[in-house]
Amino acid sequence: MGSREIKSPESLQETPATSSSHQRKKLSVYFIESDNRRMALGRGYTGGTTPVNVHGKPIADLSKTGGWIAALFIFGNEMAERMAYFGLSVNMVTFMFYVMHKSFADSSNAVNNFLGISQASSVLGGFLADAYLGRYWTIAIFTTIYLAGLTGITLCATMKVFMPNQDNCDRISQLLGSCEPAKSWQMLYLYTVLYITGFGAAGIRPCVSSFGADQFDERSKDYKTHLDRFFNFFYLSVTVGAIVAFTLVVYIQMEHGWGSAFGALAIAMGISNMLFFIGTPLYRHRLPGGSPLTRVAQVLVAAFRKRHAAFSSSELIGLYEVPGKHSAIKGSGKIAHTDDFRCLDKAALELKEDVINPSPWKLCTVTQVEEVKTLVRLVPIPACTIMLNVILTEFLTLSVQQAYTMNTHMGHPRGASQLQRVGIGLAVSILSVIWAGIFERYRRNYAISHGYEFSFLTAMPDLSAYWLLIQYCLIGIAEVFCIVGLLEFLYEEAPDAMKSIGSAYAALAGGLGCFAASILNSIIKSVTGNPKKGQPNWLAQNINTGRFDYLYWLLAVLSVINFCAFLYSAYRYKYRSEQKHGNDYEVMENKLYDSPI
């Protein structure tokens, strides 16, 4: 596509009969369009940025770097992080209850907060990666912090000085809550190392998937296929880490104690860190593009300052963009102009006064404005996955109480689009929580009818905990569909210089889901039950007198509402490639219209 210079509205006077839609269409082509980027098999949007090595120098021979070999070193880091994440989520509740002598409710909320911090803080990691450090150094720093936190947790579970006295704390004492409570400094230490671990995830979650995807050559004709396979294998590594956490780590805890279980997580993270650093010569890097928050703030300020400027003003020169093939943002290609959120376009309105006194807080490029538009457009999709994360969080913490009342021994090509996969995941999550409600109702009735109503820490030998696998399998299938589709969607749709921020949206949704679960639990405990009449709340410590099934039914209703919101958001969303093709068509049409006959 050739270069197209900005034109002044003065040379394009319209009659009063001209429609506003035609005016909008004309506005969309008043900017330089000179970047001849390549689309990888249609939908993929690439920025044409040049990969560099760890020192920031262009890579002379790309064949010696990147690809699947480099990606394998990155997979290990994510597998270990998820192994630790899930290992702590299922073991920390019981550790706090049995060892630190906290109630199940307090333990669940503490773990929910840990899960929330580990995901919501990913926004910070994404910002640092895109603005200053780059994805490699962000991962390197925060995995080290993660390992330090896991080491501290291991010490807490190993050294008696960090634990309350366990003498005379039998099953009856636990039921009555009469075990010696942990000292305040002991809980402070545990919370500190736990939240340090959660903070360590801030640089891993938003960067690992994006850094892995950076290893593939976007100019290759097989780029889209490699990208699809990468995100599938990436989430396979997440699943493997979760399976190991739910099986091997739990087995180590039951056979060898808490210290060995948490120590295994620390060792796994240490090994993955070592492998990640060994792969350093193979990695392809992308230069950080400067502070994305500053660029967003500049667009908002400039748009506000020019809020009264008219698109048809005689003072208007056009929409501002730098000439040439590259944008003014390091590490980013140009982004085509779109017609939505026109209020933000005023940040790119170049008036005659801007030529005299240019300022980035008064005039922004079209690409910079489109970055902000893209971030706004992306919000509804990951927001609709918050409900799935609420369900997953409730399963991870509340199902532990269910399992302790039951017998835990064993005895007897792409297909759907990215948004369709997210939708399938949300739909399956509804099925998982419906089944959870049905089974919990059956489990509770079974406990009451067989005389276990007040023996909630006594396992019922004839009711296997493996019935819980159904809801876990369903939520696992839901998460695979939803998160794989969401990560790929965010990576491809996010602006070139904001890939890590885009990936952080998924982790942020997960963190908000964890915090929402804690808030929901607190509300339920405060508004359900009647202590004066002896009626326990839905989330009573004695699960057999509580009503966990009511909670699951409430989650099912909220999930259906959330699914409807997702369908509406997905229906309205346009992929960037579709918008790019639409702009190409308008420019071509305008050229034909302006061509002399």
Side-chain angles (χ1 to χ4, degrees), residues 489-567:
F489 168 77
L490 293 173
Y491 181 81
E492 292 192 6
E493 297 298 300
D496 296 334
M498 294 185 177
K499 296 295 186 184
S500 298
I501 290 288
S503 298
Y505 271 21
L508 177 61
L512 293 177
C514 296
F515 290 131
S518 293
I519 295 171
L520 180 63
N521 291 349
S522 299
I523 293 174
I524 287 176
K525 285 189 290 185
S526 64
V527 302
T528 60
N530 191 332
K532 294 181 180 180
K533 295 182 180 180
Q535 296 177 351
N537 63 66
W538 291 2
L539 299 178
Q541 178 151 311
N542 183 347
I543 188 176
N544 296 331
T545 59
R547 297 309 304 250
F548 279 29
D549 53 335
Y550 288 175
L551 170 63
Y552 289 141
W553 291 122
L554 175 61
L555 292 175
V557 172
L558 295 176
S559 297
V560 171
I561 297 173
N562 175 76
F563 184 66
C564 294
F566 167 79
L567 292 178

Side-chain angles (χ1 to χ4, degrees), residues 81 85 113-122 146 197-199 201-202 205 507 511:
E81 190 277 327
Y85 174 82
N113 291 334
F114 156 73
L115 300 178
I117 289 174
S118 68
Q119 300 199 66
S121 59
S122 297
Y146 205 111
T197 306
F199 180 72
R205 295 288 178 83

Side-chain angles (χ1 to χ4, degrees), residues 323-366:
K325 293 185 177 182
H326 304 289
S327 75
I329 303 168
K330 185 168 61 175
S332 173
K334 286 184 178 178
I335 305 178
H337 176 266
T338 59
D339 285 328
D340 49 357
F341 305 112
R342 291 192 76 202
C343 60
L344 296 177
D345 283 333
K346 295 192 174 184
L349 286 181
E350 185 176 14
L351 305 178
K352 292 179 180 178
E353 65 183 51
D354 293 319
V355 178
I356 301 174
N357 186 24
S359 168
W361 295 94
K362 293 180 64 177
L363 180 64
C364 304
T365 64
V366 169

Side-chain angles (χ1 to χ4, degrees), residues 313-529:
S313 171
S314 61
E315 297 294 315
L316 173 64
I317 297 176
L319 292 181
Y320 174 68
E321 181 61 280
V322 296
K325 293 185 177 182
H326 304 289
S327 75
I329 303 168
K330 185 168 61 175
S332 173
K334 286 184 178 178
I335 305 178
H337 176 266
T338 59
D339 285 328
D340 49 357
F341 305 112
R342 291 192 76 202
C343 60
L344 296 177
D345 283 333
K346 295 192 174 184
L349 286 181
E350 185 176 14
L351 305 178
K352 292 179 180 178
E353 65 183 51
D354 293 319
V355 178
I356 301 174
N357 186 24
S359 168
W361 295 94
K362 293 180 64 177
L363 180 64
C364 304
T365 64
V366 169
T367 295
Q368 190 174 343
V369 172
E370 290 302 321
E371 279 189 330
V372 179
K373 288 184 181 181
T374 301
L375 291 180
V376 175
R377 276 193 293 264
L378 290 177
V379 168
I381 302 302
C384 290
T385 66
I386 292 176
M387 196 64 226
L388 181 144
N389 286 285
V390 171
I391 296 172
L392 180 60
T393 302
E394 298 287 25
F395 281 1
L396 287 175
T397 54
L398 299 183
S399 293
V400 173
Q401 291 174 257
Q402 292 177 291
Y404 269 87
T405 69
M406 302 160 70
N407 184 358
T408 57
H409 297 287
M410 296 182 63
H412 329 116
R414 297 186 67 185
S417 70
Q418 297 155 351
L419 293 183
Q420 286 173 340
R421 280 182 278 173
V422 174
I424 291 172
L426 295 179
V428 175
S429 73
I430 297 174
L431 298 179
S432 72
V433 77
I434 289 176
W435 165 257
I438 294 173
F439 177 72
E440 170 54 20
R441 185 178 181 86
Y442 171 79
R443 189 211 60 78
R444 182 179 183 274
N445 291 336
Y446 183 94
I448 294 174
S449 63
H450 288 75
Y452 290 94
E453 182 175 3
F454 299 104
S455 302
F456 67 97
L457 291 181
T458 302
M460 296 177 285
D462 296 326
L463 186 60
S464 174
Y466 285 88
W467 284 104
L468 297 174
L469 283 179
I470 296 177
Q471 67 197 52
Y472 272 110
C473 287
L474 287 173
I475 197 64
I477 293 171
E479 196 181 17
V480 167
F481 272 103
C482 185
I483 303 303
V484 171
L486 182 62
L487 286 175
E488 186 174 351
F489 168 77
L490 293 173
Y491 181 81
E492 292 192 6
E493 297 298 300
D496 296 334
M498 294 185 177
K499 296 295 186 184
S500 298
I501 290 288
S503 298
Y505 271 21
L508 177 61
L512 293 177
C514 296
F515 290 131
S518 293
I519 295 171
L520 180 63
N521 291 349
S522 299
I523 293 174
I524 287 176
K525 285 189 290 185
S526 64
V527 302
T528 60

Side-chain angles (χ1 to χ4, degrees), residues 103-343:
S103 67
F104 264 126
D106 291 341
S107 302
S108 296
N109 281 339
V111 173
N112 286 349
N113 291 334
F114 156 73
L115 300 178
I117 289 174
S118 68
Q119 300 199 66
S121 59
S122 297
V123 174
L124 172 63
F127 167 75
L128 292 175
D130 286 338
Y132 305 111
L133 299 178
R135 290 186 259 280
Y136 172 83
W137 288 110
T138 303
I139 296 172
I141 292 170
F142 281 87
T143 53
T144 304
I145 296 174
Y146 205 111
L147 178 59
L150 287 175
T151 303
I153 293 174
T154 302
L155 293 177
C156 182
T158 305
M159 303 176 66
K160 292 185 178 180
V161 67
F162 294 115
M163 296 180 284
N165 189 354
Q166 305 297 315
D167 296 337
N168 302 319
C169 186
D170 54 16
R171 184 64 59 88
I172 300 298
S173 300
Q174 290 173 340
L175 286 170
L176 298 176
S178 60
C179 293
E180 179 182 320
K183 296 180 177 64
S184 57
W185 72 267
Q186 291 173 329
M187 291 307 304
L188 177 63
Y189 173 80
L190 177 58
Y191 286 145
T192 299
V193 293
L194 183 63
Y195 294 146
I196 285 175
T197 306
F199 180 72
I204 302 176
R205 295 288 178 83
C207 297
V208 172
S209 60
S210 298
F211 188 52
D214 289 344
Q215 306 309 310
F216 299 96
D217 187 359
E218 59 191 18
R219 296 169 298 180
S220 169
K221 65 179 181 179
D222 296 325
Y223 172 70
K224 190 60 183 173
T225 302
H226 288 318
L227 203 61
D228 292 339
R229 290 177 180 172
F230 166 77
F231 280 106
N232 288 328
F233 279 109
F234 173 80
Y235 208 74
L236 176 62
S237 68
V238 173
T239 304
V240 171
I243 291 174
V244 172
F246 291 138
T247 55
L248 180 60
V249 176
V250 172
Y251 171 80
I252 293 175
Q253 181 268 311
M254 296 177 67
E255 295 294 324
H256 302 286
W258 302 102
S260 298
F262 295 142
L265 299 178
I267 291 172
M269 179 57 70
I271 293 174
S272 74
N273 286 3
M274 180 180 65
L275 293 176
F276 176 78
F277 290 121
I278 289 175
T280 298
L282 300 175
Y283 299 143
R284 297 173 183 173
H285 306 256
R286 295 200 181 194
L287 294 173
S291 172
L293 297 184
T294 301
R295 296 201 300 275
V296 171
Q298 288 173 342
V299 170
L300 298 178
V301 170
F304 179 78
R305 297 175 73 170
K306 293 182 177 179
R307 64 190 182 280
H308 299 304
F311 289 113
S312 58
S313 171
S314 61
E315 297 294 315
L316 173 64
I317 297 176
L319 292 181
Y320 174 68
E321 181 61 280
V322 296
K325 293 185 177 182
H326 304 289
S327 75
I329 303 168
K330 185 168 61 175
S332 173
K334 286 184 178 178
I335 305 178
H337 176 266
T338 59
D339 285 328
D340 49 357
F341 305 112
R342 291 192 76 202
C343 60

